[in-house]
Amino acid sequence: MADVNYATGAARAPERRWIESPARAFSEAVLTRRLLGSPAFFGKWGWLVPLLVAAIGGVLRFYRLGEPGSLVFDETYYVKDAYSYLHFGYEREWPDDANDAFNAGSPGQPRDEPEYVVHPPVGKWMIAFGMALFGTDNAFGWRFGAALTGTVSILLIALIAQKLFKSTALGGVAGLLTAIDGHHLVHSRTSLLDIFLSFWIVAAFGALLLDREHGRRRLAAKVAALARGEGTPRESDLLYGPPVLWRPWRLSAAVCLGLAVGTKWSALAFLAAFGLMAVLWDMNARRVAGIRHWFAAGVVRDGLPAFFTMIPLAAATYLATWTGWFLSKDGYDRQWARDHGGGIWGWVPDPLRSLAEYHRSAYTFHSGLDSSHPYESSPWSWLFMGRPTSFYYQGEEQGVNGCPVADCSTAVTVVGNPIIWWAAALALIAVVFAWLGRRDWRAGAILSGIAAGYLVWFLYPERTMFFFYAIAFQPFLILALTYVLGLVLGRSTDPPWRRRQGLVIVGLYLVTALLVAAFFLPVWTAEQIPYQDWRWRMWMPSWV
């Protein structure tokens, strides 16, 4: 009969001895247990808890979604681009008074000239989805795609944490922390590209977790089959081990990564990091399964197939996201190849050469972006929220828009929940030690997402950067914090007093995070509050 892990909320199979006789060491059941550990059974709670925290997050994201009713921050670019996509399939230029027209609920029409943009199409198509459903003349329609994506992201993060830590409770904790984090909340209520980037990265990570399990189960079955009823495989069969070629979840991850790159090019770092992570997982699986030359086998039998399937599929997915531009005749640079000689690249089809030139120009723009901005911030300060980005601020005097006091403020500030962010920054230290000292693959997986989304920005010290870029790796900060909270909760084998102590500490932490979220909610959701109340929420001078 399965016993319940009270610290994590997962039901576990009975403990079995790990030392097996040679006759059983290469059986499929034993190999599977060695490769994946003891199974966890979640039952109906495995879905109910993630759905519940996603519902909580959804309420926060859709509540007053249409406020403010005007374009805020970079919505001025992406909402208008999404409108152009709906009607023309590519971006067009807009008149100078286009913002006023959108804010008044009558967007009008763009000019006939194409617009030069420097971000791929996926995020703008996802914004356009909401506009197609709820109209282009209201802020709810502009932001529906972001709110839906943010809500589904909470569900994915909860399910990923549940899979990663084999715990329904910790899955619920990760989902709840995401739901009440202001950084994720504001992105989910604003039509910028970054929430869509984060979503596809999280989806790719989840697909790779499923691929890890699927691949190890298939490897166990294939190695067990080599025994041919003789108890152990022949020495020659264990030199490199069998190939495991059919990896449907890995292909799904490649598609998600292609869509992530199709949202923002910064996802290329995740493509590299996740690809390396998947191959390292395969190498370790072969080592645990008893393969002698596990490193070489991991490179040749796992790494090369992964490279020649994931990279082409991600690239094909990325190119497919430009379909609207390919089908147009007057998209920006669409006819560049026709007007320029091909030279040694003349054999490349004109549309691809034109797209390559467009990308060269956009890359030059990104790498040379160094104009000053009042809310720019260095990546060094991101983990501590040194300079959050203000998306919207409106001050009102008494009697204006219902202001009941001398001065009021209405703000949308991308400041995370301090209790979550500052604790997550500290949790990173423990996660690093868990990876270096215990070689915990879960810690390594979490750190790979943080490295890909965070460290890459240090390569461009002169570029203008903003704190809100951190949403790409924010889910992995949540997972790092959840990892440490799991350590605080303890194991099912710990004494009852230890488990109760851990439960009280984690419970108090979550209650504190909820109270702080309620305190900051007005500056995340554009509620009008007295100016002094707004100042009370600006905990650091650099936040103003």
Side-chain angles (χ1 to χ4, degrees), residues 37-61:
S38 299
F41 309 99
F42 304 111
K44 63 181 180 181
W45 294 107
W47 281 104
L48 289 179
V49 171
L51 287 171
L52 176 61
V53 294
I56 294 171
V59 170
L60 293 174
R61 279 145 184 78

Side-chain angles (χ1 to χ4, degrees), residues 13 30 33 60 111-112 190 225 228-229 231 242 260 292 315 354 365 374 451 458 460 477:
V30 171
R33 192 170 72 247
L60 293 174
R111 298 191 179 110
D112 291 336
T190 315
R228 300 182 183 89
R292 302 292 186 267
S354 295
F365 171 86
F458 290 94
Y460 304 94
L477 288 178

Side-chain angles (χ1 to χ4, degrees), residues 480-499:
L481 178 55
T482 304
Y483 182 98
V484 173
L485 292 176
L487 297 179
V488 174
L489 281 174
R491 302 177 180 179
S492 61
T493 54
D494 290 336
W497 67 266
R498 168 65 179 83
R499 297 203 299 271

Side-chain angles (χ1 to χ4, degrees), residues 9-206:
R12 288 187 173 181
E15 292 294 329
R16 296 185 178 90
R17 58 191 178 91
W18 286 85
I19 300 176
E20 300 285 350
S21 65
R24 283 183 45 80
F26 287 93
S27 67
E28 184 174 348
V30 171
L31 282 169
T32 301
R33 192 170 72 247
R34 281 164 52 190
L35 289 167
L36 293 172
S38 299
F41 309 99
F42 304 111
K44 63 181 180 181
W45 294 107
W47 281 104
L48 289 179
V49 171
L51 287 171
L52 176 61
V53 294
I56 294 171
V59 170
L60 293 174
R61 279 145 184 78
F62 283 97
Y63 169 69
R64 300 178 69 252
L65 182 60
E67 298 295 332
S70 58
L71 296 169
V72 303
F73 203 65
D74 281 356
E75 282 187 337
T76 184
Y77 305 114
Y78 306 128
V79 169
K80 289 182 285 188
D81 288 345
Y83 182 99
S84 296
Y85 274 36
L86 277 179
H87 292 85
F88 309 104
Y90 65 96
E91 300 91 339
R92 285 193 176 187
E93 286 188 355
W94 286 83
D96 294 337
D97 61 350
N99 280 9
D100 295 333
F102 268 89
N103 295 341
S106 53
Q109 291 293 320
R111 298 191 179 110
D112 291 336
E113 293 81 11
E115 176 74 22
Y116 174 59
V117 296
V118 293
H119 290 300
V122 172
K124 289 167 279 188
W125 276 115
M126 295 177 77
I127 296 171
F129 169 74
M131 297 170 72
L133 291 178
F134 297 100
T136 59
D137 58 351
N138 64 92
F140 184 90
W142 308 337
R143 298 172 188 148
F144 176 82
L148 179 62
T149 300
T151 302
V152 177
S153 296
I154 297 170
L155 177 63
L156 288 181
I157 291 168
L159 291 171
I160 285 170
Q162 181 175 265
K163 172 71 71 175
L164 198 62
F165 305 121
K166 295 185 177 181
S167 166
T168 301
L170 291 181
V173 167
L176 180 63
L177 291 174
T178 306
I180 63 174
D181 174 48
H183 194 257
H184 194 276
L185 177 61
V186 171
H187 271 286
S188 303
R189 295 172 54 88
T190 315
S191 284
L192 272 64
L193 302 182
D194 302 82
I195 190 64
F196 307 111
L197 170 66
S198 176
F199 170 79
W200 290 118
I201 289 169
V202 168
F205 184 77

Side-chain angles (χ1 to χ4, degrees), residues 17 19 51 107 121 140 153 247 250 283 397 454 457 464 488 494 539:
R17 58 191 178 91
I19 300 176
L51 287 171
F140 184 90
S153 296
R247 309 291 288 264
R250 182 167 287 181
M283 287 181 178
E397 297 179 350
Y454 182 41
W457 291 107
T464 305
V488 174
D494 290 336
W539 286 5

Side-chain angles (χ1 to χ4, degrees), residues 319-344:
L319 284 177
T321 67
W322 288 86
T323 298
W325 183 87
F326 280 122
L327 294 177
S328 72
K329 294 183 179 179
D330 50 359
Y332 190 87
D333 263 353
R334 178 64 181 81
Q335 305 301 333
W336 181 89
R338 181 194 62 186
D339 302 330
H340 295 78
I344 61 172

